[in-house]
Amino acid sequence: MRALLVAGLCLSAAVVFFSAAGGAEPTAPPASPNRLVVHEWGTFTSFSGSDGVPVGFQPNNSDLPDFVYRQEDPGSKVNLLRARGTVSLETPVIYLYADRETRASVRVVFPKGWITEWYPFAALPPKLDETQSIRWDVRALTGRTVAFPQGRESDVYFHARATNADPLEADVALPNNQQTNALRGATLVQREKFLFYRGVGTFPPPVTLRALGQGRVRVTNPGRGAVGGLVLATVRDKKVGFRTIGELAAGAETVVAIADATGRPADLGDVMVKELTVSGLYPAEARAMVKTWSAAWFGEDGTRLLYLVPRARTDELLPLTVEPRPTEVVRVLVGRHDFLTPEQEVSTDQHLARARAARAELDAAEKELQALGRFSPEARALAEKRHAAISTLRR
């Protein structure tokens, strides 16, 4: 944990020091607000072959700024998703809206997974060997304009700031052996527009599917509640095709045809913003979420199912506790399941066979070259010269 703290502090441009020295009068904590609204959005990704059975995969974890806290191996996201998990929990963010400056304690539990990244500083960070949970103790700086840490423009993390949520401030507690003389007697804080976390899950997705071939997909809802906002999308060369399925009742299934990728990504983006807004997010929050994930949802080639996770399932997967008790809580998770069609699997098998044959031929040629012994490098160089001369004559 020590390395995580140092990385999170040194690289954050929004770390602020407040001197505790002097004779200033202690201030009373902010009063509990009459109105405290908590909104959360996030997504998780799974992947399978045509049979729809999720498998571990390589996550894209290069889109986070350096100041974000991360678990180190063996608890890193890459390691866990390859070895133990099948679901990538991606960028849940929690916003607070209060009618006055207030303190709040926010706790998230992940009983079927691991929390692998977070920001800002957590009063109780996740521990790999225990039931996964995280707790932030923050101040909602209602009505204030503050500076936030910066990073690469390509980091999708920053799109989530484009809302009217209150800035949040977290005190950073450092052990004495990590404090320099300059830090002693001071309070270190981090500020952000939201509470952020990511993770790896082991739970089955709320919706299952099977690619039937010839452009058809069977989608099934095995759960106890209806699943809404289902969209089957395909992306090819920056073009998008999609079919809206709408709501699927508990225990129901439907067969959907994969649309040709001939449309604009913005059209599907508009559909997603509408679905998210209807689910309770503020319009700015919905737009921020779609902008955060537009490159992944509408830019990566492939075929995928998008859907809204039922609120009851969200609360089951990620129990949330906030003190003081909020007057309103909205939580919207979007599930994403990428899959291969039977035709893609046949093509993949053929390409893999070609690659193996080429590798075998290459290995055999390399073995013959090595048989030349210590003169092998020079023999290769002479052969390269002869090939270059022949190529020149053929031009």
Side-chain angles (χ1 to χ4, degrees), residues 1-184:
M1 189 63 199
R2 177 178 179 180
L4 292 175
L5 289 176
V6 172
L9 298 177
C10 294
L11 295 174
S12 173
V15 171
V16 185
F17 297 88
F18 294 93
S19 174
E25 293 292 330
T27 58
S32 297
N34 294 323
R35 176 178 176 270
L36 177 61
V37 172
V38 177
H39 280 199
E40 178 181 16
W41 59 253
T43 184
F44 60 76
T45 299
S46 52
F47 171 75
S48 74
S50 63
D51 62 1
V53 178
V55 296
F57 59 95
Q58 176 72 29
N60 177 16
N61 230 32
S62 62
D63 56 354
L64 293 179
D66 293 334
F67 57 76
V68 168
Y69 294 97
R70 293 170 170 83
Q71 295 280 20
E72 298 175 344
D73 283 335
S76 70
K77 184 165 191 174
V78 171
N79 185 68
L80 289 172
L81 195 52
R82 282 177 174 174
R84 302 168 68 179
T86 56
V87 176
S88 176
L89 179 67
E90 298 170 339
T91 315
V93 296
I94 301 173
Y95 300 109
L96 270 60
Y97 302 83
D99 58 3
R100 68 185 70 171
E101 188 169 316
T102 188
R103 295 181 187 272
S105 179
V106 180
R107 182 172 183 259
V108 177
V109 183
F110 196 7
K112 294 185 178 180
W114 301 270
I115 297 172
T116 53
E117 293 90 13
W118 66 93
Y119 194 82
F121 179 86
L124 287 178
K127 296 181 179 179
L128 184 62
D129 298 330
E130 300 178 7
T131 299
Q132 288 291 282
S133 66
I134 185 170
R135 194 193 84 212
W136 294 275
D137 294 337
V138 297
R139 285 178 293 275
L141 305 178
T142 306
R144 293 176 58 179
T145 300
V146 302
F148 298 124
Q150 302 300 313
R152 301 177 298 260
E153 291 185 2
S154 59
D155 293 335
V156 300
Y157 173 96
F158 300 110
H159 297 319
R161 291 177 179 169
T163 72
N164 296 320
D166 293 336
L168 304 177
E169 181 178 89
D171 290 344
V172 180
L174 283 179
N176 288 335
N177 61 1
Q178 291 190 34
Q179 293 189 21
T180 66
N181 289 334
L183 288 176
R184 298 184 189 280

Side-chain angles (χ1 to χ4, degrees), residues 69 90 135 146 171 216 227 247 251 266-267 330 340 356 375:
Y69 294 97
E90 298 170 339
R135 194 193 84 212
V146 302
D171 290 344
R216 297 177 304 125
V227 176
E247 184 174 276
D267 294 335
V330 172
L340 299 176
R356 285 177 173 174
F375 299 112

Side-chain angles (χ1 to χ4, degrees), residues 245-301:
I245 304 171
E247 184 174 276
L248 195 60
E253 67 177 37
T254 186
V255 175
V256 187
I258 299 174
D260 293 331
T262 58
R264 303 182 311 146
D267 294 335
L268 180 52
D270 292 341
V271 170
M272 294 302 298
V273 167
K274 181 179 179 180
E275 291 286 353
L276 295 170
T277 305
V278 170
S279 297
L281 292 183
Y282 295 144
E285 296 170 339
R287 290 191 296 270
M289 182 179 188
V290 170
K291 188 172 183 179
T292 297
W293 290 111
S294 60
W297 290 349
F298 320 138
E300 295 179 355
D301 278 10

Side-chain angles (χ1 to χ4, degrees), residues 57 85-86 109 114 122 139 143 160 208 213-214 234 281 309 315 317 364 377 382:
F57 59 95
T86 56
V109 183
W114 301 270
R139 285 178 293 275
T208 62
Q214 298 181 338
T234 185
L281 292 183
V309 180
D315 291 338
L317 293 172
L382 291 172

